[in-house]
Amino acid sequence: MNATEPPADAASPLAGPAVEPSRSIPSLTGAPGHAVSRTLVIVVAVVAALALLLSVLLWQKLSTIQGQLARQSADSGARAVEANGMAKQALDLARETAARQAMADERLSEVTLQRTQLEDLMQSLSRTRDDNLVVDLDSAIRLAQQQAQLTGSVAPLLAALKSADQRVIRAAQPRLAPVQRAIEHDIDRVTAARVTDTPGLLDKLDELVRLVDELPVLNAAASPAAARGVASKTPVAAPAWWQRALEVLHIEARSLLRVSRIEQPEAMLLSPEQSFFLRENLKLKLLNARLGLLARQIDSARSDLAAASLALNKYFDPAARKTQVVAGLLQQVQGQMKTVELPRVDDTLAALATAAAGR
């Protein structure tokens, strides 16, 4: 057998079933077919080698990719854990920042309040002397006006106006000139006003209440001692005994019988008990007049005084000295009680308000 010939039992993948050639007839085409088979084998081997090489390379690449994926997965897990920790830190930091922000806002509000108070204090401290003077004068005059209304006297108001006029003059500021003119005008108006002298009237009413118990009623008889006292005041020579006896008889007879003209019949019919209640009623009228004067109810006080004067003239002896004194005091009180309102100082207050506004 030729060395280049393939074995008889070798089967080519491209050849059909092996047919044993006839030993008697030599093949003229054997050498070219054998070369083709060998070439095919070499190509298949090369392709297989390349496939194996590619498989190895692909396996290595897949292994590399798997390793990279594993490393990336591990890195991702580590980064996720780190990110979770950083998120917790960020949340804690946010909470701490919110708490600090709230504290800062609170401190800012406190600082703002303190700044406002400080500005108010600075404004009050930076107020000029004239502004302080205007505020003081306004307060003093308003207080004096209230005192005058409570006491019914213009003395507190007049004193406050005079003091304010002196302070404005000492200040010597041109912009306070309208205030000074208004004060002078109000001083003249208050001085010219005639008001009720409340303290003097109260004293007179108290004196009238005290004298009521000493008033003799109209039907009171003169006592014999008083008649003898009047007779003893007459300067005569020492009478004889019979003249003295005749005088005593005459006085006793006069005490038994009295003839007088009756103009008020109801006054002559008063009993001692009724006389007591008459005096108490007269006291009540005088006390009501006193209360009306204190309450500035001049009309009511005048009405009570008129009723007291009518009772005095109707039930008490007009010839008695006490009755005449009480009647004179009543006339004085009625004449001095005037319905005059206390003067107001609106001009001065308006001028002070204008000066305070800076106009």
Side-chain angles (χ1 to χ4, degrees):
M1 179 179 294
N2 193 356
T4 59
E5 291 182 359
D9 55 352
S12 174
L14 299 179
V19 178
E20 184 177 357
S22 178
R23 290 177 180 257
S24 62
I25 301 172
S27 177
L28 297 178
T29 59
H34 182 71
V36 172
S37 300
R38 187 177 181 182
T39 302
L40 290 177
V41 171
I42 293 172
V43 170
V44 170
V46 171
V47 171
L50 290 175
L52 181 60
L53 179 61
L54 291 175
S55 299
V56 172
L57 293 176
L58 183 61
W59 178 258
Q60 291 179 353
K61 188 174 182 180
L62 289 176
S63 299
T64 304
I65 292 174
Q66 288 179 355
Q68 290 178 354
L69 289 176
R71 287 194 299 269
Q72 290 179 359
S73 178
D75 293 340
S76 299
R79 290 178 181 178
V81 173
E82 185 179 359
N84 191 11
M86 293 177 65
K88 290 182 179 179
Q89 293 179 359
L91 182 60
D92 296 339
L93 182 61
R95 291 177 180 175
E96 184 178 358
T97 304
R100 291 181 179 179
Q101 182 67 28
M103 186 178 298
D105 293 340
E106 184 178 359
R107 291 182 179 178
L108 180 61
S109 61
E110 292 178 358
V111 170
T112 303
L113 179 60
Q114 292 177 359
R115 181 180 177 181
T116 304
Q117 294 176 353
L118 184 60
E119 289 178 354
D120 295 339
L121 181 60
M122 291 177 63
Q123 289 179 0
S124 63
L125 291 177
S126 62
R127 184 181 297 171
T128 61
R129 183 184 62 179
D130 297 339
D131 295 335
N132 290 328
L133 177 62
V134 169
V135 173
D136 292 343
L137 292 180
D138 184 80
S139 301
I141 291 176
R142 290 184 184 276
L143 180 61
Q145 189 171 10
Q146 293 177 0
Q147 291 178 353
Q149 292 176 354
L150 291 175
T151 59
S153 175
V154 297
L157 187 57
L158 189 60
L161 288 174
K162 290 181 178 179
S163 176
D165 187 25
Q166 295 177 358
R167 294 180 66 181
V168 171
I169 293 174
R170 287 196 301 267
Q173 292 295 329
R175 76 185 189 94
L176 296 180
V179 177
Q180 184 179 359
R181 290 194 296 269
I183 291 175
E184 291 176 353
H185 179 265
D186 286 335
I187 288 176
D188 296 337
R189 190 154 56 88
V190 171
T191 305
R194 299 180 61 187
V195 295
T196 303
D197 184 13
T198 305
L201 291 179
L202 293 177
D203 292 339
K204 290 180 181 180
L205 289 174
D206 293 338
E207 182 67 17
L208 285 173
V209 173
R210 187 185 64 82
L211 292 175
V212 167
D213 292 331
E214 302 177 5
L215 292 176
V217 293
L218 193 60
N219 63 350
S223 61
R228 287 193 297 268
V230 173
S232 63
K233 291 181 180 178
T234 304
V236 293
W241 61 270
W242 58 273
Q243 292 178 344
R244 290 197 299 272
L246 186 61
E247 183 179 0
V248 171
L249 181 62
H250 178 69
I251 292 174
E252 293 294 335
R254 288 184 61 183
S255 63
L256 293 176
L257 179 63
R258 184 179 63 173
V259 179
S260 61
R261 182 173 179 174
I262 300 176
E263 296 181 356
Q264 302 290 343
E266 61 272 14
M268 303 302 296
L269 299 176
L270 287 176
S271 64
E273 293 81 4
Q274 292 175 341
S275 299
F276 171 78
F277 289 111
L278 175 64
R279 296 177 192 277
E280 295 299 322
N281 190 19
L282 182 57
K283 289 180 182 180
L284 288 177
K285 292 184 181 298
L286 294 174
L287 291 176
N288 287 335
R290 189 178 190 277
L291 293 177
L293 181 61
L294 290 175
R296 303 292 183 272
Q297 301 293 331
I298 304 300
D299 295 336
S300 176
R302 282 182 173 180
S303 177
D304 291 330
L305 289 177
S309 179
L310 181 62
L312 180 67
N313 296 329
K314 186 175 181 180
Y315 294 102
F316 295 94
D317 187 7
R321 186 177 62 85
K322 295 290 185 181
T323 306
Q324 294 175 359
V325 171
V326 171
L329 283 177
L330 275 176
Q331 291 179 359
Q332 291 180 10
V333 172
Q334 289 177 341
Q336 293 177 3
M337 192 174 294
K338 305 177 182 63
T339 311
V340 179
E341 294 184 359
L342 292 172
R344 299 182 61 85
V345 288
D346 295 334
D347 295 342
T348 300
L349 294 177
L352 290 173
T354 304
R359 294 190 296 268

